[in-house]
Amino acid sequence: MRRNSSCFTPDMVSPTQKPSVCTNMAAPGRHVGHYMKRNGRFLLCNIEQALGHRSFGCTTAVRQQVAEANKESAESIVIPRKKTWSKEAVLEALASTVGRDPTAYSYQFQDDPYLSPRSAVEFKLYSLSQESGRSAAKYFINSNPKFFTKDFAEPHIPCLMPETVSPCLEEVSEEALKERLNLRKVTAAVDMYDQLVQAGTAVSMETTHSLLDVISFYCDRDPAEEEGPQTEDTESKDQKKRKGNFRRASDFLKFSWKENNNAERIFNLLPERDTRCYSALIRGMVKHEAYAKAFNMYTDMLNNRLTADVHIFNALISAAPEVRDKYHEKWELITELLKQMNEQKIRPNLLTFNSVLKALRRCGFLAKTQALHTLSEMKALGIAPSLASYEHMLAIFHRSGSSGPNGTDLLQEVVAELAETNFTCQDPHDVMFFSCAIRVCLDNKDLELGYKVHSLVEFGENYRLLGDPFNQSVYYGRFFNLLCMMEHIDEVLKWYKRLIPSLYYPNPQGMKDLLQALDTDSRLDLLPSIWKDIKSLGLTNRPDMAEELLSLMTRDNHSPEIQESFAACALDIKSVFDLKFSLEWTNSSLSHVTMLLLRANKTEKAWEMLHLFKSNNRVPSDDLLNSFLSVCRTDDAPQKAVELVQMSAAFCLPTTPQLAKRTLTDFNLTEEQRAILSELEAAGGEPSD
């Protein structure tokens, strides 16, 4: 019998032979697997064909809906472009989630809690101290760059590294001249230019323009370094006008334009002079108050058949009020300049119209009419007014006794037009708008308009256009004054907590306005807490402030709880007077403190105050002595009453006989006490030996 090559079946095995394990198990498994695989594929193909030929009634509609949904989803998917984020994007996002803390001091003082200012004077002192220290450190770093070569900052912070403050190129070349111009080395740049001219080296017109710009701007002298000492060759006219402003010393330096300075000398040596050269000198002359020379230079330019640029006209328009005396002459000169500007086809810009409006502020009765025409022309040319434009308009129209529209009407229109607008500084005078606008509201006592102006300040980052700390203090001071004058005391106190001390340090007048607001709404119970704020703000060196507070607390009688708090406040005021030798007791202040102590039943403290009258050469009032005598009657203190009458006699007061008579009537006295009082009554108030 032959064996199959693969395996044996049971029929092939003889009955006497035992089948193997492989024959009994492996063969049936292989055959079953082979048939299942082949028949399974055939069955699967038949099922797919049967399902494909079979149709349902809703198949077409379903497929159409699915196709439309896929089409809509494909059309709605828009792949966005790559977004480029700034390096400060994360910090800006985090900052937007945090609001201003009204109880905290300004951010610049948070690094050193000891230097947390309590008043406007301390704010100015600490701010200038910080700036001085920062400038000193910067000066040391720039003067000794070899000691600061390692950069530990990650990422790199350029402002923390030494700056190049000295020229690196020593050879005589135009590149060395450009380097000195970039470093603002005026004297060195002039010397380098002279050496180039003497060597016969031609200097490009672009470099010459930059040289004339630098010389004219800095009035032919090296600029005073912010870190170094200041010179005294200056005219400080603005220093008297702006006394107390928070500004650097360099802001008050005014240099006069000297005759035949280096700018004029180099200008006269030029073989060819273009408009740019004239522009540098004219603007420099106007900046340094050489107005007549500027107009002469402009006439010379016209004689040379050159056309001016917009910067020349802007400078000359701003200088026009300085070279004419009468109002109509000033306006005629401005009009003539504008006509020449039109003839030379020079398109005015925003600064041109702002210069016209600023000049109109000095044109008297002509200002109103011409200002409206200027604003209309401005809008006709598609030039949007800036905050400086509106500030000039408010200054022109906000005049008492003038007919026509006033500053309030104009400000209403301006605020409605600028609502919810983020401002950017386009003119250096833009920072004066908000303080001028709130002044209009204060003068007209228009609280609603004041709120609208303040909403402009709080929108976005418009608060940055309030200006320097002095202008900010002026704005918030006027706004707080308006609130105290017109708003309910509860709202005033809310604003008081929001503004102080994070944004505003009130001056003595601001605190007096708050005291008057408390008096108007009969909230004198808050006076002790206001006194604590007065102490924290460093206003205790003003005796009129303490007297105002004491007079309000003494004027009326209150509940025992309030009188107790008033007495504690009065004792605190007394301690301030005792510590500060610059404060002197007055009759009213001593009387008020004594009266408050009497009303709170602090007789011993009141008696101590009564002795201060004599030590400070002050005379108590009749009302105070009568009140003191009434308290002695209530406390049944006849000896105190006798001493009071004797003190009145020592001051030679005319009320002494009445006090003696009242004491004799109301008190149980000894014979000795009666004899003393009878003698004082008969003597008419003259002290006995």
Side-chain angles (χ1 to χ4, degrees):
M1 187 187 307
R2 285 176 30 182
R3 250 190 324 190
N4 193 292
S5 59
S6 60
C7 59
F8 290 99
T9 62
D11 298 334
M12 297 179 182
V13 182
S14 61
T16 58
Q17 188 177 1
K18 293 183 179 180
S20 64
V21 176
C22 178
T23 304
N24 293 336
M25 297 181 64
R30 289 184 180 181
H31 284 284
V32 171
H34 174 72
Y35 285 114
M36 287 182 64
K37 182 178 180 181
R38 186 180 63 181
N39 295 335
R41 288 179 179 176
F42 176 77
L43 180 62
L44 183 61
C45 292
N46 291 337
I47 292 175
E48 289 179 354
Q49 280 184 343
L51 291 176
H53 290 292
R54 186 132 183 211
S55 62
F56 297 91
C58 60
T59 302
T60 304
V62 171
R63 290 179 179 178
Q64 185 176 0
Q65 293 178 359
V66 172
E68 291 178 356
N70 293 334
K71 183 178 179 181
E72 292 178 359
S73 61
E75 292 178 353
S76 61
I77 296 176
V78 178
I79 300 177
R81 295 182 180 181
K82 183 180 179 181
K83 175 68 175 178
T84 303
W85 298 97
S86 64
K87 296 180 180 180
E88 300 84 9
V90 176
L91 294 177
E92 291 174 354
L94 293 175
S96 64
T97 62
V98 181
R100 179 181 59 84
D101 183 5
T103 63
Y105 292 94
S106 180
Y107 179 77
Q108 66 186 107
F109 302 108
Q110 293 185 7
D111 292 337
D112 192 349
Y114 180 75
L115 296 179
S116 297
R118 302 179 302 166
S119 63
V121 176
E122 290 186 357
F123 178 87
K124 179 180 178 180
L125 176 62
Y126 295 164
S127 300
L128 292 177
S129 300
Q130 280 192 344
E131 184 181 356
S132 177
R134 191 180 298 111
S135 299
K138 187 177 180 181
Y139 177 77
F140 184 82
I141 291 174
N142 294 337
S143 301
N144 303 274
K146 58 183 179 181
F147 299 127
F148 304 93
T149 57
K150 293 185 179 181
D151 186 7
F152 297 98
E154 183 68 29
H156 174 67
I157 304 176
C159 65
L160 298 182
M161 300 303 295
E163 298 178 0
T164 303
V165 294
S166 58
C168 298
L169 301 177
E170 297 297 337
E171 70 276 4
V172 180
S173 63
E174 186 172 346
E175 293 299 324
L177 175 59
K178 291 181 179 179
E179 181 188 36
R180 283 153 178 78
L181 291 176
N182 292 332
L183 294 175
R184 302 185 301 172
K185 303 291 184 180
V186 179
T187 304
V190 172
D191 294 340
M192 181 62 65
Y193 179 82
D194 292 338
Q195 294 179 27
L196 290 172
V197 173
Q198 292 175 2
T201 305
V203 180
S204 65
M205 187 58 71
E206 182 181 357
T207 306
T208 304
H209 292 162
S210 301
L211 177 62
L212 291 176
D213 285 339
V214 172
I215 298 174
S216 301
F217 185 83
Y218 292 109
C219 200
D220 194 18
R221 68 188 68 211
D222 289 327
E225 295 183 0
E226 297 179 0
E227 309 85 2
Q230 305 291 347
T231 60
E232 296 182 356
D233 185 13
T234 175
E235 295 179 4
S236 57
K237 295 181 181 180
D238 290 346
Q239 188 172 4
K240 297 180 180 179
K241 297 179 182 178
R242 299 179 178 180
K243 185 178 181 181
N245 292 17
F246 178 76
R247 290 178 172 86
R248 299 174 180 171
S250 59
D251 295 338
F252 300 115
L253 297 179
K254 292 289 184 181
F255 302 108
S256 58
W257 186 273
K258 295 182 179 180
E259 190 75 21
N260 296 323
N261 58 10
N262 284 320
E264 295 185 21
R265 180 179 63 83
I266 294 174
F267 176 82
N268 294 327
L269 292 176
L270 292 177
E272 295 182 1
R273 306 162 193 166
D274 56 3
T275 302
R276 186 73 170 74
C277 298
Y278 280 97
S279 177
L281 263 71
I282 291 174
R283 286 187 288 169
M285 292 174 179
V286 172
K287 175 179 174 61
H288 300 291
E289 301 180 356
Y291 307 113
K293 289 182 67 67
F295 278 93
N296 293 335
M297 183 67 66
Y298 173 68
T299 304
D300 183 65
M301 184 192 68
L302 295 181
N303 293 335
N304 291 329
R305 300 180 182 277
L306 291 176
T307 303
D309 59 12
V310 67
H311 305 293
I312 293 177
F313 283 108
N314 293 349
L316 293 177
I317 290 172
S318 63
E322 305 293 341
V323 296
R324 296 292 187 271
D325 296 329
K326 298 181 179 180
Y327 294 151
H328 68 274
E329 291 178 353
K330 295 177 182 179
W331 177 243
E332 287 175 359
L333 180 56
I334 295 173
T335 306
E336 182 63 27
L337 290 172
L338 293 175
K339 290 180 179 178
Q340 294 180 14
M341 196 174 188
N342 186 32
E343 292 173 357
Q344 299 178 26
K345 298 182 180 179
I346 304 298
R347 178 179 173 82
N349 57 15
L350 174 64
L351 297 180
T352 306
F353 288 101
N354 285 350
S355 299
V356 174
L357 293 173
K358 184 178 180 181
L360 281 173
R361 297 173 66 168
R362 301 178 58 183
C363 291
F365 62 91
L366 297 173
K368 268 195 170 184
T369 305
Q370 303 304 333
L372 292 175
H373 293 166
T374 302
L375 192 62
S376 300
E377 185 69 18
M378 191 176 185
K379 294 182 178 180
L381 291 176
I383 300 176
S386 69
L387 293 180
S389 309
Y390 293 122
E391 194 273 334
H392 295 317
M393 295 290 293
L394 289 176
I396 291 172
F397 281 84
H398 184 57
R399 294 176 181 174
S400 59
S402 58
S403 59
N406 53 24
T408 306
D409 299 333
L410 179 62
L411 186 57
Q412 290 279 8
E413 298 178 5
V414 171
V415 170
E417 183 177 350
L418 299 180
E420 298 184 356
T421 303
N422 283 311
F423 303 120
T424 56
C425 189
Q426 306 176 67
D427 188 300
H429 214 69
D430 284 348
V431 296
M432 303 301 297
F433 169 76
F434 288 114
S435 59
C436 180
I438 203 65
R439 185 191 65 184
V440 174
C441 301
L442 178 61
D443 293 344
N444 293 277
K445 298 180 176 59
D446 195 333
L447 180 61
E448 182 180 358
L449 185 58
Y451 276 130
K452 292 180 180 179
V453 172
H454 192 69
S455 65
L456 285 179
V457 174
E458 292 186 330
F459 185 81
E461 295 187 350
N462 293 339
Y463 66 91
R464 299 183 183 275
L465 291 177
L466 286 175
D468 58 20
F470 176 78
N471 284 335
Q472 293 181 24
S473 177
V474 170
Y475 170 81
Y476 285 114
R478 290 171 177 171
F479 180 63
F480 186 69
N481 189 2
L482 178 63
L483 291 173
C484 293
M485 189 184 305
M486 305 300 298
E487 187 59 276
H488 189 268
I489 188 60
D490 293 335
E491 289 295 325
V492 173
L493 293 176
K494 289 180 181 178
W495 282 103
Y496 178 77
K497 295 179 180 178
R498 286 180 57 182
L499 299 179
I500 300 170
S502 60
L503 294 175
Y504 173 54
Y505 296 96
N507 53 15
Q509 184 59 44
M511 296 306 297
K512 286 183 180 179
D513 294 336
L514 178 60
L515 294 178
Q516 292 177 3
L518 293 172
D519 184 20
T520 302
D521 289 347
S522 301
R523 291 299 305 273
L524 299 181
D525 57 298
L526 299 176
L527 290 177
S529 62
I530 299 300
W531 167 250
K532 293 180 181 179
D533 293 342
I534 291 175
K535 288 181 60 179
S536 65
L537 292 171
L539 300 177
T540 54
N541 57 343
R542 298 291 299 267
D544 55 338
M545 182 71 62
E547 289 191 11
E548 179 76 16
L549 190 74
L550 289 171
S551 63
L552 291 176
M553 291 191 295
T554 313
R555 189 181 60 191
D556 301 319
N557 289 317
H558 300 274
S559 62
E561 295 80 7
I562 296 179
Q563 290 296 163
E564 188 70 24
S565 63
F566 283 178
C569 181
L571 290 175
D572 195 11
I573 294 175
K574 176 182 176 299
S575 64
V576 171
F577 272 80
D578 293 339
L579 292 176
K580 293 189 176 183
F581 298 101
S582 59
L583 298 177
E584 293 185 0
W585 286 105
T586 62
N587 284 338
S588 59
S589 58
L590 283 170
S591 299
H592 291 328
V593 173
T594 307
M595 183 67 71
L596 291 172
L597 294 175
L598 286 176
R599 290 177 181 176
N601 297 324
K602 298 182 182 295
T603 309
E604 294 299 327
K605 296 290 184 181
W607 188 258
E608 295 176 3
M609 290 297 303
L610 198 59
H611 287 286
L612 290 178
F613 280 93
K614 186 174 183 179
S615 60
N616 289 275
N617 296 323
R618 299 290 185 262
V619 179
S621 62
D622 296 343
D623 293 338
L624 178 63
L625 295 178
N626 287 316
S627 299
F628 217 109
L629 190 60
S630 300
V631 173
C632 293
R633 178 72 178 86
T634 304
D635 296 341
D636 193 15
Q639 184 59 35
K640 292 289 185 181
V642 173
E643 293 178 3
L644 181 67
V645 177
Q646 289 177 330
M647 183 177 293
S648 176
F651 285 113
C652 300
L653 296 179
T655 191
T656 303
Q658 289 82 1
L659 293 175
K661 182 178 180 180
R662 182 181 171 188
T663 305
L664 288 170
T665 305
D666 296 343
F667 290 88
N668 295 323
L669 303 172
T670 63
E671 292 298 329
E672 182 181 359
Q673 292 173 342
R674 286 184 174 277
I676 295 174
L677 293 177
S678 299
E679 183 180 357
L680 292 176
E681 183 182 9
E686 295 181 1
S688 61
D689 296 336

